[in-house]
Amino acid sequence: MKSLESKILNEGKVLSETVLKVDSFLNHQIDPKLMRQIGEEFAARFADAGVTKILTLESSGIAPSVMAGLTMNVPVVFARKRKSLTLINDLYSAEVHSFTKKETNEISISSEYINQNDVVLVIDDFLANGQAVLGLMDILNQAGASLAGVGIVIEKGFQDGGKMIREKGIQVESLAIIDSLAEGNVTFRKEGALK
Amino acid sequence: MKSLESKILNEGKVLSETVLKVDSFLNHQIDPKLMRQIGEEFAARFADAGVTKILTLESSGIAPSVMAGLTMNVPVVFARKRKSLTLINDLYSAEVHSFTKKETNEISISSEYINQNDVVLVIDDFLANGQAVLGLMDILNQAGASLAGVGIVIEKGFQDGGKMIREKGIQVESLAIIDSLAEGNVTFRKEGALK
């Protein structure tokens, strides 16, 4: 998605060979017009998937998900993160390890909002090692829901999450795929290129 | 706002005389169309305030804020919550005590995204004791920014946050004001009524 790639080139900060900071439009400050475009793009790419619900993770997944939900006319559910494992009834939970933050969170949703009749589009801001997406897929499995696919704003193509999830036969649509952050430069994967 | 009041009556769960749960459309599952209406309503109520930026708090403030930002064509900044007080450069921080959750969080924003030229609309999902709004106002004060006003989705009119903030001469626009949750029933304040 060209407008997203331009935004990343203009405003993204390459902090290391693996860390890209996009706090000016996605992770701290949010650009609502860009989110709207992103939502419309997800809606277009999953137009034929019969999506009944979007599942994301607080906090940075919420803005793109709500815009996709607006276009697709479906509700959005955001999983909550907790540090401690608390046992509460009627929750579907999974553990998600973040390699970047070096911490494990429990993520959970109420069983009220996703069930076996749902066809769910999972949306998240970043895809790196794929741990968050696997956690959300685990939750969908517990709910007996179907997975329509995975929509990602920015995929770190040099990490293995995208490959791992695509190899399961799941449709993963990443609106920008970064192949390298070497020497402080962002290099995008060409559209259509596989790796 | 009639559509919001209907939604609260139809889907809200009164858990006690002070607790209303609206997890089906605002705090866990999100209704994107309703959020869009809410965003448009905030935009209309603060149309003449010269707003340059919206400030909210993760996670439930994000959806209504992004929709308001889309209509008003301004960026949204969401403050992050942390349990522990970590000293990081270039952050504006404040402590916010939640009476409901009986915990104190540090909320913070990067100093990069709000400055003394900004006229900021503060948006949040709930207003009860007003501690979150006071924390966000504290942050704006540190940034030297101006406060355009406060937009709230649901105000608990029987708690004192709204009164306290309005007494400071600040424009507070709550799209639904609840006067009572007694006996499991939601009673709204009539529009235009002061208390």
Side-chain angles (χ1 to χ4, degrees):
Chain A
M1 189 178 151
K2 281 291 157 207
S3 57
L4 174 62
E5 291 187 356
S6 302
K7 195 83 169 177
I8 292 169
L9 289 177
N10 290 331
E11 299 186 16
K13 290 177 188 168
V14 179
L15 299 189
S16 75
E17 294 211 342
T18 56
V19 180
L20 171 74
K21 210 172 161 191
V22 289
D23 273 9
S24 72
F25 63 89
L26 180 60
N27 293 128
H28 184 21
Q29 180 168 258
I30 301 170
D31 179 334
K33 292 219 158 168
L34 180 64
M35 293 303 125
R36 178 90 222 228
Q37 290 172 30
I38 285 170
E40 287 169 352
E41 184 69 26
F42 283 138
R45 295 195 188 195
F46 292 98
D48 303 322
V51 173
T52 65
K53 214 153 259 196
I54 291 168
L55 176 63
T56 189
L57 194 55
E58 64 180 354
S59 290
S60 296
I62 294 175
S65 295
V66 170
M67 290 303 183
L70 185 70
T71 311
M72 302 176 91
N73 198 20
V74 297
V76 173
V77 177
F78 64 91
R80 290 194 173 273
K81 288 178 199 165
R82 268 170 252 258
K83 282 266 157 48
S84 62
L85 205 81
T86 42
L87 210 71
I88 305 174
N89 276 341
D90 307 323
L91 281 187
Y92 300 130
S93 300
E95 286 202 349
V96 173
H97 182 71
S98 165
F99 290 95
T100 316
K101 294 183 185 165
K102 295 186 183 65
E103 61 181 28
T104 299
N105 283 293
E106 186 203 20
I107 65 168
S108 60
I109 68 160
S110 162
S111 59
E112 249 180 283
Y113 300 115
I114 292 185
N115 63 46
Q116 72 274 13
N117 299 317
D118 280 314
V119 180
V120 179
L121 172 60
V122 166
I123 288 181
D124 207 2
D125 57 335
F126 269 92
L127 174 61
N129 299 99
Q131 299 304 301
V133 169
L134 288 181
L136 292 168
M137 286 169 57
D138 183 354
I139 280 175
L140 291 182
N141 200 39
Q142 293 170 46
S146 308
L147 176 66
V150 177
I152 298 291
V153 182
I154 302 174
E155 177 179 340
K156 291 177 178 173
F158 53 87
Q159 291 180 322
D160 58 2
K163 186 164 183 284
M164 176 183 62
I165 295 162
R166 287 185 183 94
E167 281 178 356
K168 295 178 190 289
I170 295 164
Q171 183 185 355
V172 180
E173 296 287 342
S174 299
L175 305 191
I177 303 182
I178 294 169
D179 265 344
S180 164
L181 293 171
E183 293 169 16
N185 294 316
V186 179
T187 309
F188 293 107
R189 186 171 302 175
K190 291 209 175 64
E191 274 194 52
L194 289 174
K195 198 169 183 179
Chain B
M1 190 178 150
K2 281 293 157 207
S3 56
L4 174 62
E5 291 187 357
S6 302
K7 195 83 170 178
I8 293 168
L9 289 176
N10 289 331
E11 300 186 15
K13 290 177 188 166
V14 179
L15 299 190
S16 75
E17 295 211 340
T18 57
V19 180
L20 171 73
K21 211 173 161 187
V22 289
D23 273 8
S24 72
F25 62 88
L26 180 60
N27 294 128
H28 184 21
Q29 180 168 257
I30 300 171
D31 179 334
K33 292 218 159 168
L34 180 64
M35 291 305 124
R36 177 90 221 228
Q37 290 171 31
I38 284 171
E40 288 169 351
E41 183 70 26
F42 283 139
R45 295 194 188 195
F46 292 99
D48 304 322
V51 174
T52 64
K53 214 153 261 195
I54 291 169
L55 176 63
T56 190
L57 196 55
E58 65 180 351
S59 290
S60 296
I62 294 175
S65 295
V66 171
M67 291 301 185
L70 185 70
T71 312
M72 302 176 91
N73 198 20
V74 297
V76 172
V77 177
F78 64 91
R80 291 195 172 272
K81 288 178 199 166
R82 269 170 251 256
K83 282 264 158 48
S84 63
L85 205 82
T86 42
L87 209 69
I88 306 173
N89 277 341
D90 306 322
L91 281 187
Y92 300 128
S93 300
E95 286 202 348
V96 173
H97 182 71
S98 165
F99 290 95
T100 316
K101 295 183 186 165
K102 293 186 184 68
E103 62 180 30
T104 299
N105 282 295
E106 186 202 20
I107 64 169
S108 60
I109 67 161
S110 162
S111 58
E112 249 180 284
Y113 301 115
I114 292 187
N115 63 47
Q116 72 273 14
N117 298 317
D118 280 314
V119 180
V120 180
L121 172 59
V122 166
I123 288 181
D124 208 3
D125 57 336
F126 268 92
L127 173 62
N129 299 99
Q131 299 303 302
V133 170
L134 288 181
L136 292 169
M137 286 169 56
D138 184 353
I139 280 175
L140 291 183
N141 201 37
Q142 292 170 46
S146 308
L147 177 66
V150 177
I152 298 292
V153 181
I154 302 175
E155 178 178 341
K156 291 178 176 172
F158 53 86
Q159 289 180 322
D160 58 3
K163 186 164 182 286
M164 177 183 62
I165 295 162
R166 288 185 182 92
E167 282 178 355
K168 294 177 189 288
I170 295 163
Q171 183 185 356
V172 180
E173 296 287 342
S174 300
L175 305 190
I177 303 182
I178 294 169
D179 265 344
S180 164
L181 293 171
E183 292 168 16
N185 295 315
V186 180
T187 309
F188 293 107
R189 186 170 304 175
K190 292 207 174 64
E191 274 195 51
L194 289 173
K195 200 171 181 177

